[in-house]
Amino acid sequence: MWKWLAGGALVIGMGYIAYDYYRAGFHTRPELPEGAFSISFKSGLRAILVDVPNERASRRYFGYPVEVPFYLEDVWSYCYQPPDSEREQLRQQLGDRPGERIEGVCEIDVDGDMVVRGVVTSVPKL
């Protein structure tokens, strides 16, 4: 009897892992550039952070999506650190929150047109 329960729990656990993998869109994620890492947010923002240090062990990441056409909602975007002038403008738009820093601005290349998909920020884990 215990074998059946353990087997059932294993099947349910594996099913949830597969469901979560597909829900987050990892099956459609392109290959990552050298040193990049990816995060999929529940808000729908799928971000590949390029030239941004991966500090997931010590910081929590938040994604602020921007409204885009429906056909771009589940596309992976590439995120880069913004220049200082743009960073200050974003800080004013998002509000100044203690400990929060802007990690990247995420964009999607649509036939040469760059579409802003969102902003990724982080705060220290406490």
Side-chain angles (χ1 to χ4, degrees), residues 13-14 22 27 29 34 36 76 81 104 116 126:
M14 294 299 287
Y22 280 93
H27 64 290
R29 183 185 67 191
E34 183 73 29
W76 285 91
Q81 292 182 351
V116 175
L126 301 174

Side-chain angles (χ1 to χ4, degrees), residues 12-107:
I12 290 171
M14 294 299 287
Y16 179 76
I17 289 170
Y19 164 77
D20 196 43
Y21 181 82
Y22 280 93
R23 183 189 56 79
F26 288 114
H27 64 290
T28 62
R29 183 185 67 191
E31 284 199 34
L32 299 178
E34 183 73 29
F37 68 100
S38 65
I39 303 175
S40 179
F41 296 97
K42 289 182 180 179
S43 64
L45 177 61
R46 296 175 179 174
I48 298 172
L49 289 99
V50 180
D51 296 328
V52 175
N54 183 353
E55 297 181 29
R56 286 186 276 192
S58 62
R59 299 186 71 80
R60 293 180 55 201
Y61 289 85
F62 298 97
Y64 297 97
V66 172
E67 190 172 323
V68 292
F70 70 93
Y71 54 88
L72 295 176
E73 289 177 349
D74 60 352
V75 174
W76 285 91
S77 58
Y78 290 88
C79 309
Y80 303 94
Q81 292 182 351
D84 290 338
S85 59
E86 189 177 335
R87 186 182 305 269
E88 191 57 40
Q89 182 182 7
L90 286 168
R91 190 171 286 122
Q92 290 175 0
Q93 289 175 347
L94 292 173
D96 194 17
R97 299 179 184 117
E100 185 175 43
R101 70 180 185 213
I102 296 169
E103 298 291 350
V105 175
C106 305
E107 298 177 327

